[in-house]
């Protein structure tokens, strides 16, 4: 599975941004898809995920109520709608995929290159 994330940028606190991740080379509809992020000087952390079966979603507490993950299996794309952005959301955001044995909130098997999100105060 190859993953390409895009949609990052520089925004102000309170703004919204939508990240997209296009997948190719595998059975997208059978993969759990997720987003992780890594802020400068910090470890990579889980942000959100959506299961391939049933569409159940998971969110980190820090983004719950502000971020929404969704997927379009027909377009092999997963989205992360980010609202009410805060400076602490500044990070490199990575799209990830797992072939079905994913443990909630844990890492995934396949990774794409990140996209930068900077939120100014």
């Amino acid at each position: 599975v190859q993953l390409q994330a895009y949609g990052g940028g520089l925004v102000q606190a309170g703004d919204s941004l939508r990240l997209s991740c296009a997948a190719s080379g595998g059975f997208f509809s059978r993969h759990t898809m997720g987003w992780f992020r890594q802020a400068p000087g910090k470890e990579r952390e889980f942000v959100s995920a959506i299961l391939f079966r049933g569409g159940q979603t998971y969110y980190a507490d820090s983004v719950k109520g502000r971020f929404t993950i969704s997927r379009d299996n027909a377009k092999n794309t997963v989205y992360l709608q980010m609202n009410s952005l805060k400076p602490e959301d500044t990070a490199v955001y990575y799209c990830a995929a797992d072939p079905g044995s994913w443990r909630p909130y844990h890492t995934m098997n396949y990774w794409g290159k990140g996209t930068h999100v900077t939120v100014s105060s």
Side-chain angles (χ1 to χ4, degrees), residues 8-119:
L10 171 63
V11 296
Q12 293 186 333
D15 285 351
S16 298
L17 203 60
R18 188 175 82 157
L19 304 183
S20 301
C21 175
S24 61
F27 299 100
F28 175 84
S29 62
R30 299 181 187 176
H31 283 73
T32 292
M33 301 299 298
W35 291 94
F36 293 72
R37 68 186 182 186
Q38 187 168 18
K42 296 186 177 181
E43 293 186 354
R44 187 168 59 191
E45 64 176 2
F46 169 79
V47 175
S48 182
I50 183 167
L51 301 186
F52 71 94
R53 184 176 298 166
Q56 184 175 351
T57 57
Y58 297 83
Y59 296 96
D61 287 343
S62 59
V63 307
K64 201 171 294 183
R66 300 188 297 121
F67 291 12
T68 302
I69 191 171
S70 61
R71 63 189 297 161
D72 186 336
N73 288 343
K75 296 182 178 180
N76 288 355
T77 301
V78 62
Y79 306 96
L80 185 68
Q81 177 67 43
M82 306 186 294
N83 299 330
S84 302
L85 283 162
K86 304 175 181 180
E88 50 264 44
D89 294 318
T90 295
V92 178
Y93 284 71
Y94 296 90
C95 176
D98 200 274
S101 59
W102 177 68
R103 292 176 59 198
Y105 309 105
H106 284 70
T107 189
M108 293 188 179
N109 282 354
Y110 303 106
W111 295 86
K113 292 182 179 179
T115 184
H116 289 255
V117 173
T118 302
V119 184

